[in-house]
């Protein structure tokens, strides 16, 4: 990560601290025009919890989290997030992932709190 090219990966945000797992974009690995990382929240949680000073016994999905992907055709990144992520935190996430051309999209998968419980009760 020595250059300023945009990165892809996953993140958590807790108490103004970010845990970021990022990698460089490889357009040759794009699926349907989208570059995504192989990082999984459940697999990275133990290390993320340490970075956030949280117990790794806490559920990873109770902490605001999301994913950053890159669209090959648009040369644009997208930050997927839930209801626990404010605009100023999105700006911080964009900075950590070295994003200059990006948009944010709410993804039900990343909801936390009552919104997540409502969703799971609906399903």
């Amino acid at each position: 990560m020595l250059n300023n090219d945009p990165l892809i990966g996953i993140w958590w945000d807790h108490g103004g601290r970010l845990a970021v797992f990022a990698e460089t974009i490889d357009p040759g690995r794009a699926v349907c025009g989208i570059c995504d990382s192989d990082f999984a929240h459940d697999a990275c949680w133990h290390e993320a919890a340490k970075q956030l000073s949280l117990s790794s016994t806490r559920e990873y999905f109770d902490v605001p989290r999301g994913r950053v992907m890159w669209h090959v055709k648009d040369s644009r990144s997208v930050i997927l997030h839930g209801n626990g992520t404010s605009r100023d935190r999105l700006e911080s996430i964009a900075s950590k992932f070295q994003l200059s051309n990006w948009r944010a999209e709410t993804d039900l998968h990343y909801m936390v709190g009552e919104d997540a419980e409502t969703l799971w009760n609906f399903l």
Side-chain angles (χ1 to χ4, degrees):
M1 291 190 247
L2 298 174
N3 59 34
N4 289 328
D5 289 340
L7 303 170
I8 55 175
I10 61 173
W11 54 270
W12 283 265
D13 184 23
H14 178 74
R17 296 173 71 183
L18 287 170
V20 170
F21 296 81
E23 64 185 4
T24 57
I25 295 167
D26 178 357
R29 291 185 56 208
V31 176
C32 296
I34 298 172
C35 291
D36 194 1
S37 74
D38 290 330
F39 291 119
H41 284 94
D42 60 340
C44 295
W45 174 239
H46 186 75
E47 179 58 33
K50 278 194 237 178
Q51 291 179 30
L52 298 170
S53 300
L54 295 171
S55 169
S56 62
T57 60
R58 184 171 175 173
E59 296 290 356
Y60 75 88
F61 48 79
D62 286 338
V63 178
R65 69 196 185 289
R67 178 172 295 280
V68 175
M69 300 186 304
W70 190 68
H71 291 258
V72 176
K73 183 179 178 183
D74 300 341
S75 295
R76 186 175 190 183
S77 299
V78 61
I79 302 173
L80 299 176
H81 65 93
N83 59 323
T85 309
S86 65
R87 181 66 190 184
D88 65 315
R89 297 311 293 159
L90 288 168
E91 293 284 344
S92 296
I93 293 159
S95 178
K96 286 284 189 181
F97 281 90
Q98 304 174 173
L99 309 181
S100 58
N101 184 17
W102 61 278
R103 72 177 189 275
E105 291 184 12
T106 304
D107 186 321
L108 295 176
H109 180 80
Y110 299 118
M111 294 297 187
V112 294
E114 289 181 18
D115 288 344
E117 289 180 28
T118 300
L119 176 64
W120 291 116
N121 289 333
F122 175 75
L123 298 175

